[in-house]
Amino acid sequence: AGVTAPSISIVAAAAIAVVAVGALTWVKGINYLRADHAARQTAATFSSDPGAGLRQIEAAISLAPDVRDYHHRRSLMLQAVGDADPARSQAFLREAVAEDLHAVELNPMSIDSNLAAAYSACNSNSPFEIDWRGIKMNSTAVPRTAPDRRSGHE
């Protein structure tokens, strides 16, 4: 009824596998918590310092790049910065649209992500066109006064 060397090595291998999976889960989990903390602070920071707010949401994205809401928040911030800086608004808007399109890629079946991307593409005072997967989105297709379905305002 003694323990043999092969059974000890199997137990040791199983223990190492459990520890490795636990460590990997912990690292990913802690990054998501850190990302959520950074993302929650962005609204207050952005209102007083847009640059710092953008850096915070970018930090959240770097910690949890697969959370589509962070990409959408960054898009909204870029649109706001573009509205405040007319000289560079188109550059900010293009980056905002790209950010919303990335959110769509993360979850193509999300109606909210698709609507946000379409709204971002149409939310411009001057015309531009973006070609995304063969679908041409034109900023002149919908007037800037289109209802904002996200906020419920007409």
Side-chain angles (χ1 to χ4, degrees):
V3 178
T4 63
S7 64
I8 291 174
S9 63
I10 291 172
V11 170
I16 290 172
V18 167
V19 169
V21 168
L24 187 62
T25 304
W26 173 255
V27 169
K28 185 174 181 180
I30 207 72
N31 280 344
Y32 280 89
L33 292 173
R34 290 173 51 212
D36 189 53
H37 179 71
R40 276 188 277 121
Q41 294 179 334
T42 59
T45 305
F46 185 77
S47 62
S48 62
D49 183 359
L54 277 168
R55 284 189 298 278
Q56 281 180 318
I57 198 65
E58 288 164 357
I61 290 170
S62 71
L63 291 167
D66 58 339
V67 178
R68 67 179 170 84
D69 186 52
Y70 299 164
H71 294 279
H72 178 60
R73 285 186 198 183
R74 183 169 184 268
S75 171
L76 292 174
M77 291 178 179
L78 289 167
Q79 290 176 52
V81 170
D83 287 345
D85 186 357
R88 297 183 355 193
S89 66
Q90 286 302 303
F92 284 116
L93 187 57
R94 285 182 191 279
E95 195 172 343
V97 170
E99 202 68 46
D100 274 330
L101 290 175
H102 184 71
V104 170
E105 288 175 358
L106 291 172
N107 186 357
M109 300 304 290
S110 168
I111 293 172
D112 290 338
S113 292
N114 280 281
L115 286 173
Y119 186 77
S120 293
C122 295
N123 190 21
S124 172
N125 284 330
S126 55
F128 79 93
E129 186 171 281
I130 189 165
D131 186 355
W132 180 66
R133 294 185 179 176
I135 300 169
K136 294 207 184 293
M137 290 188 230
N138 190 318
S139 64
T140 59
V142 176
R144 188 169 174 81
T145 58
D148 185 349
R149 297 185 63 168
R150 293 169 291 178
S151 67
H153 295 107
E154 295 289 327

